[in-house]
Amino acid sequence: MQDVTPPNITIQVISQTVECDGAGNTAALAAWLASNGGAVSSDVCSSVTWSNNYSGSLSDLCGMTGSATVIFTATDACGNSSTSSGTFTIQDTTDPTISTQASNSTVECDGAGNTAALAAWLASNGGAVSSDVCSSVTWSNNYSGSLSDLCGMTGSATVIFTATDACGNSSTSSGTFTIQDTTDPTISTQASNSTVECDGAGNTAALAAWLASNGGAVSSDVCSSVTWSNNYSGSLSDLCGMTGSATVTFKATDACGNSSTSSGTFTIQDTTDPTISTQASNSTVECDGAGNTAALAAWLASNGGAVSSDVCSSVTWSNNYSGSLSDLCGMTGSATVTFTATDACGNSSTSSGTFTIQDTTDPTISTQASNS
């Protein structure tokens, strides 16, 4: 008798696909090989011995994936054999694991786009951490290159960071990079006080110029331009004459609403004496024997004829008449009087004149001498 009939394979090899475990899936591969890929064979004349042509390595696919097509051979005791083939495949369909999510980053505006901070945040993938059991991970992001246009040079961008493994599986994490401005403008030169001499018309031009210059204050901001405002009420305090003052707060506000202030006082003063346009004049009257009181009173009341004015206020007159004249002949005499014009702020100017009572009239002979 002879045996020339190969074994009968009743169940063909079944291919197997497993998810990559990052270590070659050695246990699963060994079990598949040991089970002859699930193939079943029998022989009517003897038992069957299995072998396979597995080389010990899989094809080099993405990451640690790969496959091997293995021929399993069933051989009977007389050397007859039958074969069945199957493929063992390691695949990777699992997305990378993000163990640390991307975090938001908020930085203070530096006026130049905060490029270094943004670049560092992007390079660190917003702080996200990812791993994959089957391969290394490559990061990418969808940053467009620009931030939203907020106040000044501030803005934000929400960025999606994508971790992709060697087989194209990916996971994402999002974070927002924000440039904010919470810093008040810098006032490099403080507002200064301004004192002007009263012009009698409110010194409106000088006041307007001082307000327009923000009292001389200078401000800057790293993140935007600066807008000035002030709290001037439109009126000055009511001092003497047309003088007065106002303390004004100047506010520098940046585009994001941060502000700094500086204060100064605008003062209208009056240190100018009244102007005497007509000096006091002397007055000489003929003695009336009664002190010439009416003429003296009228001369004093007219300030000796002196005329004065002041640009900042009205003028009040006074004089230093003592109430008596020098004692000359008879009821004659004179008094030199200083007239003082004083404005509302206490500035004054003087002019002097002399009131004189003279007697140039001969005695009257009411009864003529008679002959004897």
Side-chain angles (χ1 to χ4, degrees):
M1 287 178 61
Q2 64 178 359
D3 181 7
V4 295
T5 302
N8 180 35
I9 297 182
T10 57
I11 299 176
Q12 295 294 317
V13 173
I14 302 170
S15 296
Q16 184 171 357
T17 300
V18 295
E19 191 69 12
C20 179
D21 65 4
N25 297 81
T26 53
L29 175 58
W32 185 72
L33 291 172
S35 70
N36 306 305
V40 176
S41 179
S42 63
D43 189 84
V44 296
C45 192
S46 69
S47 61
V48 173
T49 301
W50 284 95
S51 62
N52 64 68
N53 71 339
Y54 177 59
S55 66
S57 62
L58 281 69
S59 63
D60 186 13
L61 301 179
C62 58
M64 296 184 71
T65 66
S67 66
T69 298
V70 179
I71 299 173
F72 295 91
T73 302
T75 306
D76 64 18
C78 294
N80 303 297
S81 63
S82 297
T83 62
S84 182
S85 296
T87 301
F88 184 87
T89 302
I90 301 174
Q91 68 178 3
D92 181 10
T93 62
T94 303
D95 295 333
T97 299
I98 296 184
S99 54
T100 302
Q101 297 293 322
S103 58
N104 300 329
S105 177
T106 300
V107 296
E108 191 69 11
C109 180
D110 66 3
N114 297 81
T115 52
L118 174 58
W121 184 74
L122 291 172
S124 71
N125 308 304
V129 176
S130 180
S131 60
D132 189 84
V133 296
C134 196
S135 70
S136 59
V137 171
T138 301
W139 283 96
S140 61
N141 65 68
N142 70 337
Y143 177 57
S144 67
S146 62
L147 281 71
S148 63
D149 186 14
L150 302 179
C151 58
M153 295 186 71
T154 66
S156 66
T158 296
V159 179
I160 298 174
F161 296 95
T162 301
T164 305
D165 65 22
C167 296
N169 305 297
S170 62
S171 297
T172 61
S173 183
S174 297
T176 300
F177 185 86
T178 302
I179 300 175
Q180 68 177 4
D181 180 10
T182 61
T183 303
D184 296 333
T186 299
I187 296 185
S188 53
T189 302
Q190 297 293 322
S192 58
N193 299 329
S194 177
T195 300
V196 296
E197 192 68 13
C198 180
D199 66 2
N203 297 81
T204 52
L207 175 58
W210 184 74
L211 291 172
S213 72
N214 307 306
V218 177
S219 180
S220 61
D221 189 83
V222 297
C223 196
S224 71
S225 58
V226 171
T227 302
W228 283 97
S229 60
N230 65 68
N231 68 339
Y232 177 57
S233 66
S235 62
L236 281 70
S237 61
D238 186 14
L239 301 180
C240 57
M242 295 186 70
T243 66
S245 67
T247 297
V248 178
T249 300
F250 297 94
K251 179 185 289 187
T253 305
D254 65 23
C256 295
N258 305 297
S259 62
S260 296
T261 60
S262 183
S263 297
T265 300
F266 185 86
T267 301
I268 300 175
Q269 68 178 3
D270 181 9
T271 62
T272 303
D273 295 333
T275 299
I276 296 183
S277 54
T278 302
Q279 296 294 321
S281 59
N282 299 327
S283 178
T284 300
V285 296
E286 191 68 11
C287 179
D288 67 0
N292 297 83
T293 54
L296 175 58
W299 183 75
L300 290 173
S302 70
N303 308 305
V307 178
S308 179
S309 62
D310 189 85
V311 296
C312 196
S313 71
S314 59
V315 171
T316 302
W317 283 96
S318 61
N319 63 68
N320 67 342
Y321 176 59
S322 65
S324 62
L325 282 69
S326 62
D327 186 14
L328 299 179
C329 59
M331 295 184 69
T332 66
S334 67
T336 298
V337 178
T338 300
F339 297 95
T340 301
T342 305
D343 65 23
C345 296
N347 305 297
S348 62
S349 297
T350 61
S351 184
S352 296
T354 300
F355 185 85
T356 302
I357 300 174
Q358 67 180 359
D359 181 7
T360 60
T361 303
D362 294 334
T364 299
I365 297 177
S366 56
T367 302
Q368 294 293 322
S370 59
N371 296 326
S372 62

